[in-house]
Amino acid sequence: AAGSGQIRSKSFAATSVRVHARTVVAAFRRGRHQGVFNARQKDEGSSPQKKQPVHQDGSRTARADDEPEKKRQDNAQAWYDIKAAKELSSTLNEVQQNAMMAPLRPILVSAGPGSGKTRLLIHRIALMIASEIDPASILAVTFTNKAANEMKSRLVNALQPWETTAGPRLTIGTFHSFCLRILRRYGTRVGIGNNFDIVDTEDAKSIIKEITARPGIRERIAARDPKDYLQLISKHKAEMIDMLSQDWSDPSAKLVLEAYEKELRLQNKCDFDDLLMFTKRLLKNDVFAREDLSKQYAHILVDEWQDTNSIQYEIIVLLCGSTKSQVRAKSIFVVSDIDQSIYAFRGAMPENVMRFSETDFRGCDVYKLVKNYRSTATIVTASKLLISENKNELRGDFESLKGNGNKVRVGKFPSDYAEASFLCEEAIRLHAKGIPWSEMAVIYRTNIQSRVFEQEMLSSGIPHHVVGGFRFYSRKEVRDVLAYLKVMVNREDRTAFYRVVNVPPRGVGPVAVKKLQELSLELDRSPLSVIDLLATNDPALDRAFTRNAARGLLEFKCIIDESVDFAFKNELGPTLSFLVDKSGYSQFTANQDASAKSDQKQSGEGMKMDVVGEFISAAGAFNSSAVALGTHVLGSRPGRGAEDRATDSVDSEQGSIKAASVIERGSEDEPIVGNATSLETSLSPLAGFIEECTLLDVDAEAFRDGITLTTAHRSKGLEFDVVFVTGCTDSHFPMLFGLEPREEEEKVEDERRLLYVAMTRTRERLYMFYFESHFRFGRKIPCLQSRFLQFLMQAPKSRDLFAPGPGFRSRL
Ligand SMILES: Nc1ncnc2c1ncn2[C@@H]1O[C@H](COP(=O)(O)OP(=O)(O)OP(=O)(O)O)[C@@H](O)[C@H]1O
């Protein structure tokens, strides 16, 4: 039965319109149903449409008052606290209320931008908690850490009246963080142990580089960018292809992949794809683990369902149970908008939305939200016009709740510089009219476009911040200190070892490093344990290194050992301070800063010492917040520019997204099992901190004041009063590089969705700019107006929607 509750007034005591699964799609197409659908009962499916009451928000649900028997049944089944539902309903429309209170079974919400999907999902969780459903049984999955943090804080607000302490026991996180948690508990059951480290993309590249330089491999492979190998590996892991038994057309790829996998296992590491791959393997093959987890996470909620890829989809289905009937009875709630699916290049499958309702969760209830709370009617009409060119069988109509507002202002400029310069003038004008800087955003297609705006805003004195622009966790200094920490926690970590063994320089030059690598392979020992042998005055080793190099190596070992000792007795912050002093790293960066200053070569990224200092503070905050809150949200501490390494790769168009992670450590009371050593156990805060830094993807910059500069990908989920969509040229929106015509067709749809996402971030004023030329590598490159913009401008009645901006009429 569709959700219902005693508190519901007649008008929204909605019951399902029962229709056959296939007719759901048809009904969507016809736009006939705007409320809840039940796709589970074949027999009742094709029943003729009854006259439906139209709700205040224009949505429709089936009449309830003509089904008294059913209503009684529904009420009897209500799982929620009626008072809580009433309270939470006050900020939702009727369809949202119905969906919030829907039965604890598969529910699909499919709706357009700004329609309150996220708000609904949060309210559903709040209702569960307020109704005393055990928070530990709730799993909410998001796609970025930023979204997870946002969800958490909105949930805290929604739950205020109940003063609940549920937070620490609830699991909100990304797929990667959730899989990490599962593997920490069950990793031994899939053969990877549960105390592995995680390698991020940078480290994975270093491993590939080291492998491809090995004698025996070097001569047998074609020179390739390590990134290419990583992409190949990622693709195979995402598709669960058995890499090693595959018949490779390029045998060198197999060689590298074999060595890469061996190296990861040897170093006791997993890459991001491993987290998903091993989790799926576990859930698929291990009945005990699957049933245990399925029982523990009795309620699953997923935001942005259209962005799931194949392996993520399968993980969720496996978590829902072992049999079809268990899966179809699961309390799972997913929200989606196919038109906002913009991660196809990392394997997202918008068809997972249909797959949900038509296969694994066939018979689910489907809800459709039809009101856009965010944008003016003009913006909604313009964006609908754009997306109408894309196929989407689940798209329904939706309308703005606001008036027409301003027309969309279109501007053409001779160059990207002229575009940026005008944009700044316009932003200053709007600011003078009372619009805060923080309510404006500049959205562009690729990261590289931000530079011109940054430059222009700097000289115009406009406060601004670049989402993902300052990659704190990618800074060399951070990665160096992190590498020391990694060696402290895992003496087998060769990648980290080689990164810092001679940083700062201590006499271990390239010849000594090469010798050490050879010995390490020959003796099948980690480089650090080769130094252990050296320390015992092993005569063979004595001869292998010069006195200077040997001294340097022993000094390195001593730094690691003493820092580990220190870490046993001290907190994380002081441990890092000790380490950077003892290793000479703090003096090293101070010297570099001093010489950069005297050479006037400062990069504008600030002092290296400050970066180290900031990192030490981050470590201190990690400790204290964990202690103070009993829970810890990764990446949520204040600090400069914590960066979304995940979305780096989103924008790079190449890599797979490595979204990470909120981990509720407070609820992590799983025993440490398997082969965790006492050292690792004692250093677990340190290991936790490393894990955080590796998985971190929050972009603290996004919360700063000033105009937001962001790529279209990263603008997802955000909203602003004023949005400038810039670079609407045919080489940016769409961005199509040397694709086959067939691929191009598909890609154009992806790109159209991306522009759609950008446009629909706007509440009040939307600007769409393009330029006739820009510079790349010192060459002037001509540009044409985006085909999307052209389509919009040439559409019938486009004059009602678009207008040249006042200050740049002459430039059109
Ligand atoms: N019932 C409602 N009443 C008033 N405002 C609402 C309601 N539902 C949502 N909103 C507001 O509408 C805006 C969009 O909501 P939300 O972010 O939940 O939408 P969404 O569908 O997840 O958007 P998108 O997919 O475009 O990111 C927010 O400002 C939210 O507070």
Side-chain angles (χ1 to χ4, degrees):
S4 162
Q6 290 148 14
I7 64 146
R8 287 201 248 174
S9 69
K10 243 184 187 181
S11 66
F12 73 96
T15 55
S16 304
V17 175
R18 295 181 173 212
V19 283
H20 185 279
R22 282 196 198 112
T23 63
V24 171
V25 171
F28 269 130
R29 239 185 259 141
R30 290 192 299 271
R32 200 175 293 166
H33 302 300
Q34 305 189 337
V36 57
F37 300 82
N38 181 290
R40 85 195 105 124
Q41 300 215 1
K42 267 190 194 174
D43 305 339
E44 301 165 45
S46 44
S47 62
Q49 301 298 320
K50 289 181 182 168
K51 200 166 177 246
Q52 296 164 354
V54 179
H55 298 308
Q56 229 175 12
D57 71 341
S59 65
R60 290 156 197 257
T61 59
R63 291 172 70 93
D65 48 358
D66 58 357
E67 293 182 345
E69 177 52 27
K70 185 167 178 320
K71 185 177 171 191
R72 223 178 8 256
Q73 280 172 16
D74 287 347
N75 287 344
Q77 287 177 11
W79 52 269
Y80 46 82
D81 178 82
I82 308 264
K83 257 173 77 188
K86 193 168 190 173
E87 180 114 18
L88 285 163
S89 290
S90 64
T91 52
L92 299 180
N93 67 38
E94 291 178 16
V95 183
Q96 287 172 320
Q97 291 169 11
N98 296 337
M100 174 183 75
M101 295 181 279
L104 299 171
R105 58 183 309 277
I107 307 286
L108 167 68
V109 177
S110 168
S115 56
K117 295 182 294 298
T118 309
R119 179 185 278 213
L120 165 58
L121 192 126
I122 289 164
H123 276 65
R124 174 125 166 139
I125 301 175
L127 182 59
M128 286 179 170
I129 294 171
S131 305
E132 295 189 2
I133 283 182
D134 181 4
S137 69
I138 301 172
L139 164 67
V141 185
T142 62
F143 273 80
T144 62
N145 198 25
K146 192 162 67 191
N149 279 320
E150 176 74 11
M151 188 178 284
K152 202 173 151 61
S153 66
R154 283 168 74 174
L155 194 55
V156 168
N157 282 343
L159 281 169
Q160 249 165 13
W162 290 274
E163 292 177 358
T164 167
T165 51
R169 303 183 51 230
L170 182 70
T171 306
I172 301 182
T174 62
F175 273 101
H176 287 94
S177 68
F178 174 65
C179 290
L180 173 64
R181 170 185 282 208
I182 290 183
L183 294 175
R184 285 279 180 250
R185 197 198 297 179
Y186 288 114
T188 43
R189 299 174 77 107
V190 270
I192 51 162
N194 54 9
N195 64 337
F196 54 84
D197 295 326
I198 304 158
V199 279
D200 61 16
T201 316
E202 277 304 302
D203 286 346
K205 264 192 235 162
S206 309
I207 293 175
I208 299 276
K209 261 193 211 155
E210 186 272 316
I211 287 170
T212 48
R214 277 183 199 168
I217 294 188
R218 190 175 51 206
E219 312 80 31
R220 293 165 59 196
I221 58 168
R224 273 198 206 194
D225 190 327
K227 242 179 18 208
D228 295 345
Y229 282 116
L230 280 184
Q231 260 173 34
L232 210 63
I233 294 169
S234 184
K235 183 168 182 299
H236 281 76
K237 285 186 180 174
E239 290 166 15
M240 298 285 285
I241 298 170
D242 183 354
M243 290 187 283
L244 303 183
S245 64
Q246 196 187 338
D247 191 13
W248 292 91
S249 53
D250 171 4
S252 77
K254 183 177 181 192
L255 203 64
V256 175
L257 297 187
E258 260 174 353
Y260 174 78
E261 286 305 293
K262 202 169 152 202
E263 192 60 31
L264 286 190
R265 300 293 87 82
L266 200 73
Q267 293 193 30
N268 193 19
K269 288 182 172 181
C270 281
D271 64 19
F272 288 118
D273 296 306
D274 283 337
L275 297 179
L276 300 181
M277 194 186 75
F278 283 114
T279 301
K280 183 182 159 191
R281 192 173 293 168
L282 171 86
L283 292 171
K284 199 164 175 179
N285 302 334
D286 190 324
V287 182
F288 169 78
R290 182 173 63 238
E291 289 187 349
D292 188 36
L293 287 163
S294 173
K295 216 159 96 197
Q296 177 181 348
Y297 296 109
H299 309 280
I300 299 175
L301 302 98
V302 188
D303 201 5
E304 314 266 15
W305 181 254
Q306 74 283 352
D307 285 333
T308 49
N309 62 21
S310 176
I311 195 165
Q312 288 162 340
Y313 181 98
E314 283 162 38
I315 286 172
I316 292 292
V317 174
L318 286 163
L319 270 176
C320 288
S322 298
T323 64
K324 259 189 185 175
S325 56
Q326 277 173 353
V327 170
R328 288 188 184 171
K330 183 79 179 181
S331 165
I332 175 167
F333 188 91
V334 305
V335 302
S336 70
D337 178 5
I338 292 185
D339 289 329
Q340 291 191 63
S341 172
I342 53 176
Y343 294 123
F345 65 89
R346 65 166 167 103
M349 299 173 74
E351 52 274 33
N352 281 347
V353 178
M354 306 289 269
R355 195 172 159 197
F356 185 95
S357 60
E358 292 185 356
T359 61
D360 299 288
F361 300 94
R362 192 159 172 216
C364 65
D365 288 337
V366 184
Y367 287 78
K368 197 173 153 225
L369 311 177
V370 295
K371 288 295 172 194
N372 179 307
Y373 286 90
R374 179 181 296 143
S375 313
T376 61
T378 302
I379 295 164
V380 166
T381 310
S383 51
K384 277 197 317 199
L385 182 61
L386 174 75
I387 207 65
S388 65
E389 287 288 283
N390 271 24
K391 295 182 284 287
N392 173 3
E393 295 189 315
L394 278 181
R395 183 185 310 126
D397 200 14
F398 60 94
E399 283 161 24
S400 165
L401 279 177
K402 297 182 173 175
N404 284 342
N406 295 301
K407 289 185 183 176
V408 179
R409 301 298 168 96
V410 179
K412 172 169 103 176
F413 301 93
S415 69
D416 49 350
Y417 285 96
E419 178 191 66
S421 148
F422 180 78
L423 187 151
C424 288
E425 282 171 31
E426 186 66 358
I428 289 170
R429 194 181 70 80
L430 294 173
H431 185 63
K433 283 174 79 175
I435 301 179
W437 298 119
S438 58
E439 278 307 334
M440 300 186 213
V442 179
I443 303 183
Y444 36 80
R445 177 65 184 81
T446 62
N447 265 322
I448 200 162
Q449 291 170 262
S450 76
R451 195 186 53 78
V452 180
F453 297 109
E454 284 181 76
Q455 207 169 309
E456 201 59 41
M457 288 186 182
L458 268 175
S459 58
S460 314
I462 297 178
H464 62 279
H465 63 271
V466 184
V467 176
F470 178 51
R471 296 175 188 139
F472 181 71
Y473 284 84
S474 302
R475 289 288 301 251
K476 179 183 179 304
E477 297 76 35
V478 170
R479 299 190 68 83
D480 284 348
V481 179
L482 205 51
Y484 272 104
L485 298 180
K486 286 180 178 178
V487 182
M488 283 167 62
V489 171
N490 177 7
R491 296 173 75 88
E492 295 293 315
D493 193 329
R494 294 158 199 248
T495 316
F497 174 94
Y498 288 120
R499 181 181 178 102
V500 286
V501 65
N502 200 38
V503 179
R506 48 178 74 90
V508 187
V511 178
V513 168
K514 189 156 174 277
K515 188 76 211 163
L516 192 59
Q517 279 172 331
E518 283 166 11
L519 284 168
S520 157
L521 285 174
E522 205 178 296
L523 302 171
D524 198 17
R525 303 179 73 127
S526 72
L528 202 57
S529 70
V530 174
I531 308 181
D532 286 337
L533 283 184
L534 186 67
T536 62
N537 293 326
D538 184 311
L541 286 177
D542 266 355
R543 282 193 301 276
F545 299 99
T546 63
R547 187 175 302 172
N548 209 13
R551 194 183 313 117
L553 290 171
L554 292 171
E555 189 190 310
F556 182 78
K557 176 180 138 50
C558 178
I559 292 162
I560 298 297
D561 290 346
E562 287 188 25
S563 302
V564 168
D565 275 352
F566 191 90
F568 274 122
K569 299 169 213 133
N570 295 280
E571 301 257 306
L572 218 49
T575 299
L576 257 73
S577 299
F578 177 86
L579 171 72
V580 295
D581 281 345
K582 180 81 197 159
S583 61
Y585 197 82
S586 81
Q587 191 56 50
F588 175 60
T589 45
N591 294 345
Q592 285 182 322
D593 284 339
S595 70
K597 204 169 169 190
S598 66
D599 297 351
Q600 298 187 325
K601 269 197 318 206
Q602 230 155 311
S603 63
E605 285 185 335
M607 310 275 275
K608 291 172 188 295
M609 263 313 284
D610 287 349
V611 176
V612 176
E614 183 77 21
F615 193 44
I616 293 172
S617 322
F622 177 85
N623 243 1
S624 53
S625 62
V627 171
L629 303 175
T631 178
H632 189 71
V633 182
L634 286 186
S636 61
R637 65 174 184 277
R640 194 170 54 185
E643 221 288 312
D644 181 346
R645 212 171 280 151
T647 35
D648 276 357
S649 47
V650 169
D651 291 321
S652 76
E653 278 279 297
Q654 321 227 8
S656 54
I657 189 166
K658 306 307 181 192
S661 80
V662 169
I663 294 177
E664 303 290 353
R665 284 167 201 278
S667 65
E668 239 173 6
D669 47 5
E670 291 105 74
I672 294 170
V673 293
N675 51 358
T677 64
S678 62
L679 175 69
E680 277 140 1
T681 311
S682 310
L683 293 182
S684 60
L686 188 50
F689 178 63
I690 294 171
E691 204 164 278
E692 158 164 325
C693 298
T694 312
L695 280 177
L696 197 72
D697 84 335
V698 79
D699 192 339
E701 297 283 303
F703 303 106
R704 286 191 176 181
D705 281 344
I707 297 188
T708 298
L709 306 184
T710 176
T711 61
H713 278 108
R714 291 182 197 205
S715 72
K716 207 165 188 201
L718 306 178
E719 56 184 33
F720 305 90
D721 284 349
V722 179
V723 170
F724 298 93
V725 182
T726 60
C728 296
T729 77
D730 221 42
S731 32
H732 294 85
F733 284 110
M735 187 172 259
L736 309 165
F737 297 121
L739 297 172
E740 299 288 324
R742 192 186 46 78
E743 292 172 319
E744 213 176 84
E745 205 178 301
E746 246 174 57
K747 187 82 192 323
V748 166
E749 293 218 338
D750 291 347
E751 296 285 312
R752 193 180 283 113
R753 282 195 283 265
L754 198 52
L755 183 58
Y756 177 70
V757 167
M759 290 170 73
T760 55
R761 301 305 94 202
T762 322
R763 291 197 200 102
E764 304 291 337
R765 289 167 192 264
L766 172 61
Y767 294 79
M768 298 179 79
F769 290 167
Y770 67 104
F771 42 77
E772 293 171 300
S773 70
H774 68 143
F775 278 86
R776 277 292 161 271
F777 306 109
R779 279 199 5 248
K780 188 173 176 179
I781 301 182
C783 301
L784 296 171
Q785 185 186 32
S786 158
R787 66 191 75 177
F788 301 143
L789 189 54
Q790 209 168 46
F791 166 81
L792 289 173
M793 302 295 289
Q794 287 170 0
K797 298 203 181 154
S798 79
R799 281 181 182 278
D800 296 346
L801 304 174
F802 299 93
F808 44 98
R809 191 182 294 274
S810 57
R811 287 177 239 194
L812 266 174

